[in-house]
Amino acid sequence: MLEDGLLDPIPDAAFALHISPNMPRGVIASRGGPLLASSDKLRLKVLGKGGHASMPQDAVDPIPVACEIVMALQAFATRRIAVSDPAVITIARMEAGTTDNIIPEVARLWGTMRTLSERTRETGLAGIRRVAEGIAAAHGAEVEVNIDRGFPVTVNDGRVVDLAEKTARRLFGDEGWIRMTHPLMGAEDFSYVLQRTTGAMAFLGGAPEGGDFRTCCALHSNRMVIDEAVMARGIAMHCAMAEAMLGGELEL
């Protein structure tokens, strides 16, 4: 959409809403600064030497090497990256072997890293490569580390968030707005828009009526249920934000 001219000409500001089943029904929620994390895809291929399961000394088993890499990445994330500027490294898929009595030649790992700053992002990506290569070398194996850089950090402009708060309270009362205390480690492609112009993203609570938003099935769950009636509030919020911006309420 950006390549097709979404921001041509560049607007004064941009605003977006994202539905959330884990926030109170009908509430608008946001914060200034980082709201959502960057997202990078990790693909690791551990190369060993296949052999018979009864004679591991004659092979280089990539499975324990891959397992050690997984655990070392968790230690790296907690011991080498500051909790004040965190990273989340998750290996979500592991694949190796074909049967019970053959040591395979290859083990594969897939995962993701999330961060809230470009500085930690670069530290994390460099560390993933260093940890994986060091462990593989220690066991006489090799590893190929491929990183697909994804969405950047979603960073809200505090002035647009302040306007969103004022607008939400005007539309829905004081209970219609929540100022979030911390960012979330999910990621969002609206971050690319916010790299080019000032703006903000907010969440629209969509927990089903009568349900507990704290325990509702989360986004991307196949059991997630959204109260679609709250979308009317989302439409009203978009329209009111546009009117406020056009009316000069946003001081840039």
Side-chain angles (χ1 to χ4, degrees), residues 20-22 206-209 216-218 221-228:
S20 173
N22 299 118
E209 189 171 7
C216 287
C217 293
S221 167
N222 63 342
R223 299 186 184 91
M224 183 188 75
V225 177
I226 290 290
D227 185 346
E228 296 185 5

Side-chain angles (χ1 to χ4, degrees), residues 10-198:
I10 296 291
D12 292 335
F15 180 72
L17 284 173
H18 195 302
I19 200 81
S20 173
N22 299 118
M23 292 183 179
R25 179 177 178 270
V27 165
I28 307 295
S30 192
R31 70 187 303 274
L35 177 74
L36 292 163
S38 64
S39 174
D40 299 307
K41 295 180 180 180
L42 314 175
R43 291 178 291 119
L44 286 73
K45 181 179 180 182
V46 181
L47 305 167
K49 177 184 176 183
H52 198 283
S54 66
M55 295 177 283
Q57 71 278 4
D58 296 327
V60 178
D61 192 343
I63 293 178
V65 178
C67 291
E68 190 171 330
I69 289 172
V70 173
M71 298 307 297
L73 289 178
Q74 304 312 304
F76 166 74
T78 59
R79 312 317 296 173
R80 301 296 300 164
I81 295 178
V83 295
S84 58
D85 190 7
V88 172
I89 301 173
T90 296
I91 300 300
R93 179 183 172 192
M94 184 173 182
E95 183 179 286
T98 58
T99 188
D100 63 296
N101 64 344
I102 298 175
I103 293 172
E105 290 190 356
V106 174
R108 291 181 171 85
L109 304 171
W110 290 262
T112 183
M113 185 185 74
R114 310 296 176 96
T115 69
L116 294 173
S117 74
E118 286 300 317
R119 181 177 63 180
T120 294
R121 187 181 196 182
E122 297 307 322
T123 298
L125 293 178
I128 288 168
R129 192 177 299 276
R130 183 177 66 251
V131 167
E133 290 176 350
I135 289 174
H139 292 283
E142 298 178 2
V143 64
E144 297 175 1
V145 180
N146 292 290
I147 297 169
D148 296 331
R149 294 180 71 99
F151 303 153
V153 181
T154 302
V155 183
N156 282 343
D157 187 305
R159 297 167 297 179
V160 182
V161 174
D162 289 343
L163 179 60
E165 177 177 1
K166 178 182 176 182
T167 303
R169 292 184 186 278
R170 186 166 60 218
L171 287 175
F172 312 123
D174 289 342
E175 295 182 354
W177 169 264
I178 293 176
R179 178 77 62 154
M180 296 168 61
T181 58
H182 59 273
L184 304 178
M185 299 306 279
E188 171 58 47
D189 59 2
F190 188 66
S191 55
Y192 292 119
V193 173
L194 296 181
Q195 284 186 327
R196 301 198 186 185
T197 188
T198 188

